[in-house]
PDB file of all heavy atoms in Angstrom:
ATOM      1  N   VAL A 122      12.573 -33.523   3.428  1.00 92.00           N
ATOM      2  CA  VAL A 122      11.674 -34.082   2.411  1.00 92.00           C
ATOM      3  C   VAL A 122      10.283 -34.306   2.986  1.00 92.00           C
ATOM      4  O   VAL A 122       9.268 -33.998   2.340  1.00 92.00           O
ATOM      5  CB  VAL A 122      12.255 -35.398   1.849  1.00 92.00           C
ATOM      6  CG1 VAL A 122      11.214 -36.140   1.005  1.00 92.00           C
ATOM      7  CG2 VAL A 122      13.492 -35.114   1.012  1.00 92.00           C
ATOM      8  N   MET A 123      10.203 -34.848   4.209  1.00 92.00           N
ATOM      9  CA  MET A 123       8.904 -35.113   4.817  1.00 92.00           C
ATOM     10  C   MET A 123       8.110 -33.814   5.011  1.00 92.00           C
ATOM     11  O   MET A 123       6.942 -33.717   4.587  1.00 92.00           O
ATOM     12  CB  MET A 123       9.089 -35.792   6.170  1.00 92.00           C
ATOM     13  CG  MET A 123       7.773 -36.107   6.880  1.00 92.00           C
ATOM     14  SD  MET A 123       7.954 -36.461   8.648  1.00 92.00           S
ATOM     15  CE  MET A 123       8.258 -34.810   9.300  1.00 92.00           C
ATOM     16  N   ILE A 124       8.738 -32.817   5.622  1.00 92.00           N
ATOM     17  CA  ILE A 124       8.014 -31.585   5.931  1.00 92.00           C
ATOM     18  C   ILE A 124       7.637 -30.837   4.649  1.00 92.00           C
ATOM     19  O   ILE A 124       6.513 -30.337   4.514  1.00 92.00           O
ATOM     20  CB  ILE A 124       8.853 -30.694   6.859  1.00 92.00           C
ATOM     21  CG1 ILE A 124       9.074 -31.402   8.193  1.00 92.00           C
ATOM     22  CG2 ILE A 124       8.162 -29.356   7.094  1.00 92.00           C
ATOM     23  CD1 ILE A 124      10.008 -30.669   9.138  1.00 92.00           C
ATOM     24  N   MET A 125       8.557 -30.767   3.686  1.00 92.00           N
ATOM     25  CA  MET A 125       8.259 -30.055   2.443  1.00 92.00           C
ATOM     26  C   MET A 125       7.213 -30.790   1.610  1.00 92.00           C
ATOM     27  O   MET A 125       6.393 -30.157   0.941  1.00 92.00           O
ATOM     28  CB  MET A 125       9.537 -29.868   1.632  1.00 92.00           C
ATOM     29  CG  MET A 125      10.589 -28.989   2.311  1.00 92.00           C
ATOM     30  SD  MET A 125       9.939 -27.372   2.781  1.00 92.00           S
ATOM     31  CE  MET A 125       9.491 -26.703   1.187  1.00 92.00           C
ATOM     32  N   SER A 126       7.198 -32.117   1.665  1.00 93.00           N
ATOM     33  CA  SER A 126       6.163 -32.874   0.939  1.00 93.00           C
ATOM     34  C   SER A 126       4.793 -32.647   1.555  1.00 93.00           C
ATOM     35  O   SER A 126       3.791 -32.508   0.839  1.00 93.00           O
ATOM     36  CB  SER A 126       6.498 -34.371   0.945  1.00 93.00           C
ATOM     37  OG  SER A 126       7.724 -34.619   0.300  1.00 93.00           O
ATOM     38  N   LEU A 127       4.724 -32.619   2.886  1.00 91.00           N
ATOM     39  CA  LEU A 127       3.459 -32.363   3.562  1.00 91.00           C
ATOM     40  C   LEU A 127       2.938 -30.957   3.262  1.00 91.00           C
ATOM     41  O   LEU A 127       1.721 -30.729   3.271  1.00 91.00           O
ATOM     42  CB  LEU A 127       3.624 -32.541   5.071  1.00 91.00           C
ATOM     43  CG  LEU A 127       3.877 -33.968   5.556  1.00 91.00           C
ATOM     44  CD1 LEU A 127       4.207 -33.969   7.040  1.00 91.00           C
ATOM     45  CD2 LEU A 127       2.668 -34.862   5.276  1.00 91.00           C
ATOM     46  N   SER A 128       3.838 -30.012   2.992  1.00 89.00           N
ATOM     47  CA  SER A 128       3.423 -28.654   2.664  1.00 89.00           C
ATOM     48  C   SER A 128       3.062 -28.493   1.196  1.00 89.00           C
ATOM     49  O   SER A 128       2.298 -27.585   0.839  1.00 89.00           O
ATOM     50  CB  SER A 128       4.540 -27.663   3.020  1.00 89.00           C
ATOM     51  OG  SER A 128       4.847 -27.687   4.397  1.00 89.00           O
ATOM     52  N   SER A 129       3.595 -29.363   0.330  1.00 89.00           N
ATOM     53  CA  SER A 129       3.485 -29.156  -1.119  1.00 89.00           C
ATOM     54  C   SER A 129       2.430 -30.018  -1.801  1.00 89.00           C
ATOM     55  O   SER A 129       1.983 -29.672  -2.905  1.00 89.00           O
ATOM     56  CB  SER A 129       4.847 -29.416  -1.784  1.00 89.00           C
ATOM     57  OG  SER A 129       5.846 -28.585  -1.257  1.00 89.00           O
ATOM     58  N   PHE A 130       2.031 -31.150  -1.203  1.00 91.00           N
ATOM     59  CA  PHE A 130       1.152 -32.059  -1.936  1.00 91.00           C
ATOM     60  C   PHE A 130      -0.205 -31.459  -2.315  1.00 91.00           C
ATOM     61  O   PHE A 130      -0.791 -31.867  -3.327  1.00 91.00           O
ATOM     62  CB  PHE A 130       0.962 -33.377  -1.164  1.00 91.00           C
ATOM     63  CG  PHE A 130      -0.047 -33.342  -0.066  1.00 91.00           C
ATOM     64  CD1 PHE A 130      -1.383 -33.640  -0.327  1.00 91.00           C
ATOM     65  CD2 PHE A 130       0.308 -33.025   1.232  1.00 91.00           C
ATOM     66  CE1 PHE A 130      -2.330 -33.617   0.683  1.00 91.00           C
ATOM     67  CE2 PHE A 130      -0.616 -33.004   2.249  1.00 91.00           C
ATOM     68  CZ  PHE A 130      -1.946 -33.294   1.976  1.00 91.00           C
ATOM     69  N   PRO A 131      -0.783 -30.470  -1.556  1.00 88.00           N
ATOM     70  CA  PRO A 131      -2.036 -29.873  -2.050  1.00 88.00           C
ATOM     71  C   PRO A 131      -1.890 -29.172  -3.401  1.00 88.00           C
ATOM     72  O   PRO A 131      -2.868 -29.043  -4.147  1.00 88.00           O
ATOM     73  CB  PRO A 131      -2.393 -28.864  -0.948  1.00 88.00           C
ATOM     74  CG  PRO A 131      -1.751 -29.405   0.286  1.00 88.00           C
ATOM     75  CD  PRO A 131      -0.469 -29.991  -0.197  1.00 88.00           C
ATOM     76  N   LEU A 132      -0.677 -28.711  -3.744  1.00 85.00           N
ATOM     77  CA  LEU A 132      -0.454 -28.087  -5.047  1.00 85.00           C
ATOM     78  C   LEU A 132      -0.596 -29.098  -6.177  1.00 85.00           C
ATOM     79  O   LEU A 132      -0.871 -28.717  -7.320  1.00 85.00           O
ATOM     80  CB  LEU A 132       0.938 -27.450  -5.091  1.00 85.00           C
ATOM     81  CG  LEU A 132       1.176 -26.282  -4.129  1.00 85.00           C
ATOM     82  CD1 LEU A 132       2.617 -25.813  -4.218  1.00 85.00           C
ATOM     83  CD2 LEU A 132       0.219 -25.135  -4.442  1.00 85.00           C
ATOM     84  N   ALA A 133      -0.404 -30.369  -5.878  1.00 88.00           N
ATOM     85  CA  ALA A 133      -0.650 -31.420  -6.871  1.00 88.00           C
ATOM     86  C   ALA A 133      -2.087 -31.921  -6.802  1.00 88.00           C
ATOM     87  O   ALA A 133      -2.699 -32.245  -7.837  1.00 88.00           O
ATOM     88  CB  ALA A 133       0.320 -32.584  -6.648  1.00 88.00           C
ATOM     89  N   TYR A 134      -2.643 -31.965  -5.609  1.00 88.00           N
ATOM     90  CA  TYR A 134      -4.014 -32.472  -5.439  1.00 88.00           C
ATOM     91  C   TYR A 134      -5.048 -31.601  -6.154  1.00 88.00           C
ATOM     92  O   TYR A 134      -5.932 -32.118  -6.853  1.00 88.00           O
ATOM     93  CB  TYR A 134      -4.338 -32.569  -3.953  1.00 88.00           C
ATOM     94  CG  TYR A 134      -5.804 -32.529  -3.636  1.00 88.00           C
ATOM     95  CD1 TYR A 134      -6.647 -33.584  -3.973  1.00 88.00           C
ATOM     96  CD2 TYR A 134      -6.369 -31.414  -3.014  1.00 88.00           C
ATOM     97  CE1 TYR A 134      -8.003 -33.536  -3.685  1.00 88.00           C
ATOM     98  CE2 TYR A 134      -7.711 -31.356  -2.720  1.00 88.00           C
ATOM     99  CZ  TYR A 134      -8.531 -32.417  -3.066  1.00 88.00           C
ATOM    100  OH  TYR A 134      -9.868 -32.356  -2.788  1.00 88.00           O
ATOM    101  N   LEU A 135      -4.951 -30.287  -6.025  1.00 81.00           N
ATOM    102  CA  LEU A 135      -5.982 -29.395  -6.568  1.00 81.00           C
ATOM    103  C   LEU A 135      -6.134 -29.492  -8.086  1.00 81.00           C
ATOM    104  O   LEU A 135      -7.239 -29.701  -8.592  1.00 81.00           O
ATOM    105  CB  LEU A 135      -5.693 -27.951  -6.140  1.00 81.00           C
ATOM    106  CG  LEU A 135      -6.000 -27.627  -4.673  1.00 81.00           C
ATOM    107  CD1 LEU A 135      -5.476 -26.239  -4.320  1.00 81.00           C
ATOM    108  CD2 LEU A 135      -7.484 -27.719  -4.394  1.00 81.00           C
ATOM    109  N   PRO A 136      -5.066 -29.349  -8.878  1.00 81.00           N
ATOM    110  CA  PRO A 136      -5.260 -29.441 -10.330  1.00 81.00           C
ATOM    111  C   PRO A 136      -5.616 -30.838 -10.812  1.00 81.00           C
ATOM    112  O   PRO A 136      -6.383 -30.984 -11.768  1.00 81.00           O
ATOM    113  CB  PRO A 136      -3.913 -28.974 -10.900  1.00 81.00           C
ATOM    114  CG  PRO A 136      -2.935 -29.167  -9.810  1.00 81.00           C
ATOM    115  CD  PRO A 136      -3.682 -28.954  -8.540  1.00 81.00           C
ATOM    116  N   VAL A 137      -5.088 -31.880 -10.159  1.00 84.00           N
ATOM    117  CA  VAL A 137      -5.430 -33.244 -10.586  1.00 84.00           C
ATOM    118  C   VAL A 137      -6.883 -33.547 -10.283  1.00 84.00           C
ATOM    119  O   VAL A 137      -7.591 -34.170 -11.100  1.00 84.00           O
ATOM    120  CB  VAL A 137      -4.492 -34.267  -9.905  1.00 84.00           C
ATOM    121  CG1 VAL A 137      -4.958 -35.689 -10.204  1.00 84.00           C
ATOM    122  CG2 VAL A 137      -3.062 -34.079 -10.379  1.00 84.00           C
ATOM    123  N   GLU A 138      -7.378 -33.108  -9.130  1.00 83.00           N
ATOM    124  CA  GLU A 138      -8.796 -33.304  -8.807  1.00 83.00           C
ATOM    125  C   GLU A 138      -9.682 -32.589  -9.815  1.00 83.00           C
ATOM    126  O   GLU A 138     -10.698 -33.129 -10.268  1.00 83.00           O
ATOM    127  CB  GLU A 138      -9.085 -32.794  -7.400  1.00 83.00           C
ATOM    128  CG  GLU A 138     -10.535 -33.038  -6.979  1.00 83.00           C
ATOM    129  CD  GLU A 138     -10.933 -32.239  -5.757  1.00 83.00           C
ATOM    130  OE1 GLU A 138     -10.477 -31.089  -5.631  1.00 83.00           O
ATOM    131  OE2 GLU A 138     -11.719 -32.759  -4.955  1.00 83.00           O
ATOM    132  N   ALA A 139      -9.294 -31.372 -10.190  1.00 75.00           N
ATOM    133  CA  ALA A 139     -10.078 -30.622 -11.176  1.00 75.00           C
ATOM    134  C   ALA A 139     -10.079 -31.331 -12.522  1.00 75.00           C
ATOM    135  O   ALA A 139     -11.110 -31.375 -13.214  1.00 75.00           O
ATOM    136  CB  ALA A 139      -9.510 -29.213 -11.314  1.00 75.00           C
ATOM    137  N   ALA A 140      -8.942 -31.895 -12.918  1.00 76.00           N
ATOM    138  CA  ALA A 140      -8.883 -32.608 -14.192  1.00 76.00           C
ATOM    139  C   ALA A 140      -9.731 -33.877 -14.163  1.00 76.00           C
ATOM    140  O   ALA A 140     -10.388 -34.223 -15.154  1.00 76.00           O
ATOM    141  CB  ALA A 140      -7.433 -32.947 -14.528  1.00 76.00           C
ATOM    142  N   LEU A 141      -9.729 -34.576 -13.035  1.00 79.00           N
ATOM    143  CA  LEU A 141     -10.543 -35.786 -12.922  1.00 79.00           C
ATOM    144  C   LEU A 141     -12.029 -35.481 -13.040  1.00 79.00           C
ATOM    145  O   LEU A 141     -12.808 -36.311 -13.533  1.00 79.00           O
ATOM    146  CB  LEU A 141     -10.259 -36.486 -11.589  1.00 79.00           C
ATOM    147  CG  LEU A 141      -8.976 -37.308 -11.499  1.00 79.00           C
ATOM    148  CD1 LEU A 141      -8.750 -37.788 -10.070  1.00 79.00           C
ATOM    149  CD2 LEU A 141      -9.023 -38.494 -12.448  1.00 79.00           C
ATOM    150  N   LYS A 142     -12.453 -34.304 -12.579  1.00 75.00           N
ATOM    151  CA  LYS A 142     -13.860 -33.932 -12.676  1.00 75.00           C
ATOM    152  C   LYS A 142     -14.320 -33.827 -14.126  1.00 75.00           C
ATOM    153  O   LYS A 142     -15.497 -34.028 -14.421  1.00 75.00           O
ATOM    154  CB  LYS A 142     -14.098 -32.600 -11.963  1.00 75.00           C
ATOM    155  CG  LYS A 142     -13.986 -32.658 -10.453  1.00 75.00           C
ATOM    156  CD  LYS A 142     -14.231 -31.288  -9.853  1.00 75.00           C
ATOM    157  CE  LYS A 142     -14.114 -31.329  -8.330  1.00 75.00           C
ATOM    158  NZ  LYS A 142     -14.330 -29.992  -7.713  1.00 75.00           N
ATOM    159  N   ARG A 143     -13.405 -33.497 -15.026  1.00 69.00           N
ATOM    160  CA  ARG A 143     -13.788 -33.235 -16.412  1.00 69.00           C
ATOM    161  C   ARG A 143     -13.603 -34.437 -17.330  1.00 69.00           C
ATOM    162  O   ARG A 143     -13.954 -34.385 -18.496  1.00 69.00           O
ATOM    163  CB  ARG A 143     -12.959 -32.058 -16.953  1.00 69.00           C
ATOM    164  CG  ARG A 143     -13.213 -30.746 -16.225  1.00 69.00           C
ATOM    165  CD  ARG A 143     -12.473 -29.615 -16.938  1.00 69.00           C
ATOM    166  NE  ARG A 143     -12.776 -28.341 -16.314  1.00 69.00           N
ATOM    167  CZ  ARG A 143     -12.049 -27.770 -15.365  1.00 69.00           C
ATOM    168  NH1 ARG A 143     -10.977 -28.392 -14.934  1.00 69.00           N
ATOM    169  NH2 ARG A 143     -12.367 -26.612 -14.846  1.00 69.00           N
ATOM    170  N   ILE A 144     -13.003 -35.506 -16.810  1.00 72.00           N
ATOM    171  CA  ILE A 144     -12.785 -36.675 -17.650  1.00 72.00           C
ATOM    172  C   ILE A 144     -14.112 -37.389 -17.886  1.00 72.00           C
ATOM    173  O   ILE A 144     -14.824 -37.736 -16.945  1.00 72.00           O
ATOM    174  CB  ILE A 144     -11.766 -37.633 -16.996  1.00 72.00           C
ATOM    175  CG1 ILE A 144     -10.396 -36.971 -16.950  1.00 72.00           C
ATOM    176  CG2 ILE A 144     -11.694 -38.940 -17.765  1.00 72.00           C
ATOM    177  CD1 ILE A 144      -9.333 -37.828 -16.312  1.00 72.00           C
ATOM    178  N   SER A 145     -14.422 -37.623 -19.131  1.00 66.00           N
ATOM    179  CA  SER A 145     -15.675 -38.292 -19.473  1.00 66.00           C
ATOM    180  C   SER A 145     -15.542 -39.802 -19.311  1.00 66.00           C
ATOM    181  O   SER A 145     -14.492 -40.388 -19.602  1.00 66.00           O
ATOM    182  CB  SER A 145     -16.072 -37.964 -20.916  1.00 66.00           C
ATOM    183  OG  SER A 145     -17.235 -38.681 -21.291  1.00 66.00           O
ATOM    184  N   LEU A 146     -16.603 -40.429 -18.835  1.00 69.00           N
ATOM    185  CA  LEU A 146     -16.630 -41.882 -18.677  1.00 69.00           C
ATOM    186  C   LEU A 146     -16.495 -42.589 -20.018  1.00 69.00           C
ATOM    187  O   LEU A 146     -16.044 -43.732 -20.084  1.00 69.00           O
ATOM    188  CB  LEU A 146     -17.934 -42.301 -17.979  1.00 69.00           C
ATOM    189  CG  LEU A 146     -18.155 -43.789 -17.728  1.00 69.00           C
ATOM    190  CD1 LEU A 146     -17.054 -44.358 -16.843  1.00 69.00           C
ATOM    191  CD2 LEU A 146     -19.523 -44.015 -17.092  1.00 69.00           C
ATOM    192  N   SER A 147     -16.842 -41.917 -21.107  1.00 71.00           N
ATOM    193  CA  SER A 147     -16.806 -42.536 -22.432  1.00 71.00           C
ATOM    194  C   SER A 147     -15.414 -43.016 -22.796  1.00 71.00           C
ATOM    195  O   SER A 147     -15.246 -44.089 -23.397  1.00 71.00           O
ATOM    196  CB  SER A 147     -17.295 -41.540 -23.487  1.00 71.00           C
ATOM    197  OG  SER A 147     -18.583 -41.079 -23.175  1.00 71.00           O
ATOM    198  N   PHE A 148     -14.380 -42.241 -22.452  1.00 71.00           N
ATOM    199  CA  PHE A 148     -13.017 -42.641 -22.785  1.00 71.00           C
ATOM    200  C   PHE A 148     -12.654 -43.960 -22.115  1.00 71.00           C
ATOM    201  O   PHE A 148     -12.049 -44.842 -22.726  1.00 71.00           O
ATOM    202  CB  PHE A 148     -12.029 -41.553 -22.365  1.00 71.00           C
ATOM    203  CG  PHE A 148     -12.202 -40.255 -23.103  1.00 71.00           C
ATOM    204  CD1 PHE A 148     -12.809 -39.180 -22.494  1.00 71.00           C
ATOM    205  CD2 PHE A 148     -11.762 -40.116 -24.400  1.00 71.00           C
ATOM    206  CE1 PHE A 148     -12.970 -37.983 -23.167  1.00 71.00           C
ATOM    207  CE2 PHE A 148     -11.915 -38.925 -25.087  1.00 71.00           C
ATOM    208  CZ  PHE A 148     -12.528 -37.854 -24.470  1.00 71.00           C
ATOM    209  N   GLU A 149     -13.037 -44.098 -20.864  1.00 73.00           N
ATOM    210  CA  GLU A 149     -12.712 -45.316 -20.132  1.00 73.00           C
ATOM    211  C   GLU A 149     -13.524 -46.497 -20.666  1.00 73.00           C
ATOM    212  O   GLU A 149     -13.015 -47.616 -20.758  1.00 73.00           O
ATOM    213  CB  GLU A 149     -12.983 -45.100 -18.646  1.00 73.00           C
ATOM    214  CG  GLU A 149     -12.421 -46.188 -17.756  1.00 73.00           C
ATOM    215  CD  GLU A 149     -12.412 -45.782 -16.292  1.00 73.00           C
ATOM    216  OE1 GLU A 149     -12.541 -44.574 -16.003  1.00 73.00           O
ATOM    217  OE2 GLU A 149     -12.280 -46.680 -15.440  1.00 73.00           O
ATOM    218  N   GLU A 150     -14.778 -46.259 -21.010  1.00 72.00           N
ATOM    219  CA  GLU A 150     -15.613 -47.347 -21.544  1.00 72.00           C
ATOM    220  C   GLU A 150     -15.071 -47.865 -22.866  1.00 72.00           C
ATOM    221  O   GLU A 150     -15.065 -49.075 -23.121  1.00 72.00           O
ATOM    222  CB  GLU A 150     -17.044 -46.832 -21.717  1.00 72.00           C
ATOM    223  CG  GLU A 150     -17.791 -46.613 -20.411  1.00 72.00           C
ATOM    224  CD  GLU A 150     -19.174 -46.045 -20.625  1.00 72.00           C
ATOM    225  OE1 GLU A 150     -19.401 -45.427 -21.688  1.00 72.00           O
ATOM    226  OE2 GLU A 150     -20.026 -46.210 -19.741  1.00 72.00           O
ATOM    227  N   VAL A 151     -14.619 -46.954 -23.718  1.00 76.00           N
ATOM    228  CA  VAL A 151     -14.058 -47.377 -25.004  1.00 76.00           C
ATOM    229  C   VAL A 151     -12.811 -48.224 -24.786  1.00 76.00           C
ATOM    230  O   VAL A 151     -12.615 -49.263 -25.437  1.00 76.00           O
ATOM    231  CB  VAL A 151     -13.743 -46.144 -25.883  1.00 76.00           C
ATOM    232  CG1 VAL A 151     -12.935 -46.553 -27.114  1.00 76.00           C
ATOM    233  CG2 VAL A 151     -15.018 -45.455 -26.296  1.00 76.00           C
ATOM    234  N   SER A 152     -11.948 -47.788 -23.857  1.00 73.00           N
ATOM    235  CA  SER A 152     -10.721 -48.545 -23.584  1.00 73.00           C
ATOM    236  C   SER A 152     -11.035 -49.935 -23.048  1.00 73.00           C
ATOM    237  O   SER A 152     -10.437 -50.929 -23.478  1.00 73.00           O
ATOM    238  CB  SER A 152      -9.864 -47.771 -22.588  1.00 73.00           C
ATOM    239  OG  SER A 152      -8.707 -48.500 -22.251  1.00 73.00           O
ATOM    240  N   LEU A 153     -11.988 -50.028 -22.115  1.00 74.00           N
ATOM    241  CA  LEU A 153     -12.354 -51.326 -21.560  1.00 74.00           C
ATOM    242  C   LEU A 153     -13.008 -52.227 -22.600  1.00 74.00           C
ATOM    243  O   LEU A 153     -12.821 -53.449 -22.587  1.00 74.00           O
ATOM    244  CB  LEU A 153     -13.287 -51.139 -20.362  1.00 74.00           C
ATOM    245  CG  LEU A 153     -12.671 -50.472 -19.120  1.00 74.00           C
ATOM    246  CD1 LEU A 153     -13.748 -50.203 -18.074  1.00 74.00           C
ATOM    247  CD2 LEU A 153     -11.569 -51.345 -18.530  1.00 74.00           C
ATOM    248  N   SER A 154     -13.787 -51.614 -23.498  1.00 76.00           N
ATOM    249  CA  SER A 154     -14.446 -52.406 -24.542  1.00 76.00           C
ATOM    250  C   SER A 154     -13.446 -52.998 -25.532  1.00 76.00           C
ATOM    251  O   SER A 154     -13.755 -53.968 -26.226  1.00 76.00           O
ATOM    252  CB  SER A 154     -15.455 -51.535 -25.297  1.00 76.00           C
ATOM    253  OG  SER A 154     -14.795 -50.532 -26.047  1.00 76.00           O
ATOM    254  N   LEU A 155     -12.247 -52.429 -25.603  1.00 77.00           N
ATOM    255  CA  LEU A 155     -11.201 -52.956 -26.477  1.00 77.00           C
ATOM    256  C   LEU A 155     -10.392 -54.061 -25.809  1.00 77.00           C
ATOM    257  O   LEU A 155      -9.405 -54.534 -26.374  1.00 77.00           O
ATOM    258  CB  LEU A 155     -10.269 -51.829 -26.909  1.00 77.00           C
ATOM    259  CG  LEU A 155     -10.905 -50.742 -27.777  1.00 77.00           C
ATOM    260  CD1 LEU A 155      -9.909 -49.627 -28.052  1.00 77.00           C
ATOM    261  CD2 LEU A 155     -11.418 -51.326 -29.089  1.00 77.00           C
ATOM    262  N   GLY A 156     -10.817 -54.475 -24.609  1.00 75.00           N
ATOM    263  CA  GLY A 156     -10.170 -55.589 -23.924  1.00 75.00           C
ATOM    264  C   GLY A 156      -9.014 -55.214 -23.032  1.00 75.00           C
ATOM    265  O   GLY A 156      -8.292 -56.095 -22.548  1.00 75.00           O
ATOM    266  N   LYS A 157      -8.816 -53.922 -22.762  1.00 77.00           N
ATOM    267  CA  LYS A 157      -7.715 -53.506 -21.902  1.00 77.00           C
ATOM    268  C   LYS A 157      -8.111 -53.619 -20.438  1.00 77.00           C
ATOM    269  O   LYS A 157      -9.276 -53.460 -20.080  1.00 77.00           O
ATOM    270  CB  LYS A 157      -7.299 -52.070 -22.222  1.00 77.00           C
ATOM    271  CG  LYS A 157      -6.692 -51.916 -23.616  1.00 77.00           C
ATOM    272  CD  LYS A 157      -6.159 -50.506 -23.829  1.00 77.00           C
ATOM    273  CE  LYS A 157      -5.493 -50.390 -25.200  1.00 77.00           C
ATOM    274  NZ  LYS A 157      -4.926 -49.036 -25.415  1.00 77.00           N
TER     275      LYS A 157
END
Side-chain angles (χ1 to χ4, degrees):
V122 168
M123 180 197 74
I124 297 174
M125 296 305 298
S126 299
L127 292 172
S128 299
S129 302
F130 81 89
L132 295 176
Y134 157 69
L135 286 171
V137 173
E138 183 195 37
L141 282 173
K142 290 180 180 179
R143 297 187 176 94
I144 293 179
S145 176
L146 180 60
S147 303
F148 296 104
E149 192 166 343
E150 288 177 337
V151 170
S152 177
L153 293 173
S154 67
L155 295 176
K157 294 186 177 182

